[in-house]
Amino acid sequence: MRFSANLGFLWAGHPLPTAIRRAAAAGFDAVECHWPYAEEPAAVRAALEETGLPMLGLNTVRGGEGCFGLSALPDREPEARAAIEQAMGYAVAVGAEAVHVMAGFAKGREADGVFRSNLRFACDLAEPYGITILIEPLNAHDAPGYFLRDTDQAGEIIDAMDAPNLRLMFDCYHVGRTEGDVIARLEALLPLIGHVQIAAIPDRGAPDHGELDYPEVFTTLDRLGWTRPIGAEYRPAGAVEDGLAWMKDAKRTR
């Protein structure tokens, strides 16, 4: 078992290079982030090289107040593509492996068409760099009105587009809150999954309590042959270092 610290939530009050160093000291095997664009890429890359941690991924920008991405918004396609280009440039500069293209709040056939067109643009742009494009359904409790509602919708888009570098971000927290039966969904969707994230359900705390049995999730991922770091995208109750018994247990027992 290997784990990635999501620095959008863990050590979020620190500059990104400092957070990378804190993640390494705490025993994480990789890092990922949300919106790193205020940080100089050279400083981020230096911290990654110093610690030896890979940067698994980053997000396209929100797109302004009240937005949560742009790529499914029919009236903002030029901005969406500029956001994809920005994310790709930053990913290349720091050596990130994936870009999460955020869809935004939208619905309907026109939004679907725009989203697929923007995803094709992203996949084509990412292909020469070996970068994966990720899409992620968000639950309606946290992000009501988000375009990607569930893994069935996301899976249909990935299958239809048939782009080798387009994959599913499987966040156990979001899937659990929206669809339930996380283990069965993992098993069914494994061929489409590019990244797995974890957090307790329903409070999005550390994966050591709540409705989902994470030891069972880890056992399932082991059985399925998952070898990539699992993203710890949760809200810590206090100091991150004080709440990592779950990770130490997972590494010790597998």
Side-chain angles (χ1 to χ4, degrees):
M1 279 288 118
R2 296 186 296 149
F3 295 94
S4 170
N6 188 295
L7 304 179
F9 285 162
L10 307 185
W11 298 288
H14 295 277
L16 191 51
T18 302
I20 291 168
R21 295 182 178 98
R22 297 285 288 269
F28 281 95
D29 307 287
V31 291
E32 57 200 67
C33 59
H34 291 162
W35 302 285
Y37 305 106
E39 302 279 359
E40 285 295 328
V44 173
R45 183 151 199 151
L48 293 170
E49 291 174 351
E50 175 190 321
T51 59
L53 297 185
M55 174 69 77
L56 297 190
L58 52 90
N59 296 347
T60 55
V61 294
R62 290 175 179 268
E65 186 176 353
C67 296
F68 215 56
L70 299 167
S71 288
L73 278 59
D75 57 343
R76 299 185 69 177
E77 192 167 4
E79 294 171 80
R81 296 201 173 193
I84 291 166
E85 290 174 335
Q86 177 194 31
M88 204 66 60
Y90 201 100
V92 170
V94 303
E97 298 177 9
V99 168
H100 170 206
V101 173
M102 301 196 70
F105 300 117
K107 63 180 179 179
R109 182 175 298 178
E110 188 178 7
D112 182 76
V114 168
F115 188 52
R116 295 182 194 226
S117 175
N118 285 328
L119 286 179
R120 181 65 64 189
F121 174 80
C123 289
D124 290 347
L125 195 62
E127 193 274 334
Y129 303 105
I131 291 174
T132 299
I133 298 301
L134 297 171
I135 59 173
E136 178 185 22
L138 304 182
N139 77 78
H141 304 280
D142 293 348
Y146 192 73
F147 175 74
L148 281 175
R149 303 176 304 277
D150 54 40
T151 55
D152 285 340
Q153 180 193 12
E156 188 279 323
I157 290 171
I158 292 170
D159 283 338
M161 291 194 60
D162 194 27
N165 61 339
L166 178 61
R167 311 289 286 175
L168 173 67
M169 180 116 76
F170 188 103
D171 188 319
C172 296
Y173 166 76
H174 286 298
V175 174
R177 294 216 69 185
T178 299
E179 303 170 58
D181 208 352
V182 170
I183 300 295
R185 300 306 290 162
L186 273 173
E187 292 173 335
L189 292 164
L190 185 69
L192 303 183
I193 296 173
H195 187 44
V196 175
Q197 293 178 326
I198 56 175
I201 299 171
D203 66 1
R204 209 170 192 178
D208 56 8
H209 65 280
E211 298 170 8
L212 185 56
D213 182 351
Y214 273 106
E216 184 182 0
V217 171
F218 299 150
T219 297
T220 299
L221 288 168
D222 247 354
R223 173 172 54 81
L224 295 174
W226 186 264
T227 59
R228 291 181 54 76
I230 298 164
E233 191 185 39
Y234 65 87
R235 295 188 176 96
V240 179
E241 292 87 348
D242 294 340
L244 294 178
W246 65 268
M247 184 170 72
K248 296 172 184 174
D249 289 345
K251 288 189 172 192
R252 184 173 60 249
T253 57
R254 288 168 182 81

